Amino acid sequence: MAYSVTLIPGDGIGPEITDAALLVLDATGIDFHWDRQTAGAAALERRGETLPNPVIESIRMTKCALKGPLETPVGGGYRSVNVALRQEFGLYANVRPVRTIIPFRGYDNIDLVLVRENTQGLYAGVEHFVEIGGDPKAVAESVAIVTREGCRRINKFAFEYALHHGRDKVTLVHKANILKMVSGLFLEEGRNVAKEYEGQIACDEKIIDNAAMQLVMKPEQFDVIVTTNMFGDILSDQMAGLVGGLGLAASGNIGDKASIFEAVHGTAPDITGQGKANPAALMLSAAMMLEHLGEMDAGRRVREAVVMTIRDDGVRTGDLGGKATTMEFAKAVARRVA
Ligand code: NAD
C-alpha cells in the first residue's frame, strides 16, 4: 500500500533539502504517492497567491504533508502561509523533539520533547489599539484566549504522545500564579488529564520562568514538556539551543483533520542553490511523519541513520563544521537506512 502524502518542497533551500529527504525516504522501501504542491513565494510568482486552493485541497485529501520552508513576502499584506495552514487544519499541537547528536557546549545527553499548544493563548490574534487624546496608539491591548476543551486536548495529546513513545514523565509548564485564569485553566485541565495516566506516566509542574532556568541548569530532569502557545514558542527555541541550534530541529504540527511535518528553520536565502544546506532537520521531520503514519520501525531507522551519519561517520554539512554537500550527506544517510 502506498501512502498518499502532500509534498510542498517550499522556497529557498526547500527544494534541495526535499530532494535529499526523498532519497532517504526511498531507501526505507516504503511506498509513497507524493502529491507535489507549490506554496509561498514560488506560488505567488506562478499563481499570484501564496496559498493556492489546490494546496489546501491536497492536504484535505491526504491528511498528511511534508513541507519545506516557505517565504512569506514582507509587506503587501500577505498573511503567513504557516499560520494560515495551522488555522485551516486546526493543527493544535506543535511537537518538537530535541536530542543531542554531537555534544554541544557541555550538553551531551539532551533528549526532550516539547508539546506546544499551537492555536490559542496570546497568539490567537485578538488585539487592538485604543486612541486617547489624538494618539491612535495610546494603548495596545492583546487578549489571551484559551478554552477548557483546547487545554484538555493539548494535555491529552502530550500524555498520549508520552505513552506511545516510551516516555516516562510529562511536565506541565504554566504561569498560573499570575495568569490565574488563562494559565490556571491550562493547569487545571493538565492535572485532570494526569490523573487518567496515574501509574503509567508521571507528571510534575513548573512555572515558566523556573522551567526556563531549570532547562539550562538541569535539563535531565525533563522528559516531555507541555505548555501554552507563547511559552512553547520561546521554550522550543531555547531547547533547540541546547543541541546546537535550529539546524537539526524537526517538528510536527498535528491536528484532527491533518498533520504537517517540517524542519523548524527557514528558507536560508544566503545559501540557496549552493548545495550547502543541511537536510538533517527535514529528514528528522520525515522520521516523525513515518511514526505518525504508524511506520515506527522506518521512523526509527531514518532517525538513527541521521544520527550515525553525523556522529559516527563524520559526514557533515558546513553548518556542522563538515565539507559534505546536501546530496553527499543524503546519500550517506540513505546507505545507512537501506
Ligand atoms: P533561516 O532559518 O532561513 O536562516 C537563518 C540562518 O540559518 C541562515 O544563516 C541560514 O543560512 C542558516 N540555515 C537555516 N537552515 C539551514 C540549513 N538547513 N542548513 C544550513 N544552514 C541553515 O531564517 P531567516 O533568515 O530568519 O528566514 C528566511 C526566510 O525563511 C524568511 O522569509 C522567513 O519568513 C522564512 N521562514 C520560514 C519558516 C517556515 O516555513 N517554517 C520558518 C522560519 C523562517
Side-chain angles (χ1 to χ4, degrees), residues 13 17 67-74 82 246-248 262-272 276-282 317-320:
I13 59 169
I17 58 174
K67 171 183 163 297
L70 297 176
E71 182 190 329
T72 301
V74 180
N82 296 314
L246 295 181
L248 299 167
E262 64 178 334
V264 170
H265 62 73
T267 59
D270 51 332
I271 57 165
T272 295
K276 288 183 182 169
N278 184 356
L282 189 61
T317 45
D319 56 310
L320 298 179

Side-chain angles (χ1 to χ4, degrees), residues 3-81:
Y3 291 102
S4 284
V5 176
T6 303
L7 184 69
I8 305 171
D11 300 315
I13 59 169
E16 300 165 56
I17 58 174
T18 299
D19 284 348
L22 289 183
L23 194 75
V24 168
L25 283 170
D26 216 33
T28 63
I30 290 170
D31 264 353
F32 288 98
H33 167 69
W34 298 108
D35 186 15
R36 272 183 188 260
Q37 296 290 337
T38 307
L44 185 66
E45 209 179 290
R46 281 186 226 165
R47 307 181 66 116
E49 51 184 332
T50 53
L51 187 56
N53 224 17
V55 183
I56 306 271
E57 287 305 321
S58 173
I59 300 174
R60 199 166 282 147
M61 288 278 292
T62 62
K63 299 186 170 46
C64 182
L66 183 64
K67 171 183 163 297
L70 297 176
E71 182 190 329
T72 301
V74 180
Y78 300 105
R79 69 176 182 153
S80 158
V81 177

Side-chain angles (χ1 to χ4, degrees), residues 51-133:
L51 187 56
N53 224 17
V55 183
I56 306 271
E57 287 305 321
S58 173
I59 300 174
R60 199 166 282 147
M61 288 278 292
T62 62
K63 299 186 170 46
C64 182
L66 183 64
K67 171 183 163 297
L70 297 176
E71 182 190 329
T72 301
V74 180
Y78 300 105
R79 69 176 182 153
S80 158
V81 177
N82 296 314
V83 173
L85 285 172
R86 215 176 282 167
Q87 287 169 348
E88 179 70 35
F89 293 103
L91 306 173
Y92 65 89
N94 181 254
V95 185
R96 283 216 211 167
V98 292
R99 198 175 291 187
T100 300
I101 296 185
I102 327 170
F104 181 72
R105 297 201 175 154
Y107 297 105
D108 56 7
N109 197 20
I110 300 287
D111 184 5
L112 305 167
V113 179
L114 184 102
V115 175
R116 162 191 169 192
E117 206 293 324
N118 222 4
T119 56
Q120 303 194 336
L122 206 48
Y123 291 3
V126 183
E127 54 180 358
H128 58 261
F129 289 115
V130 180
E131 182 179 340
I132 300 177

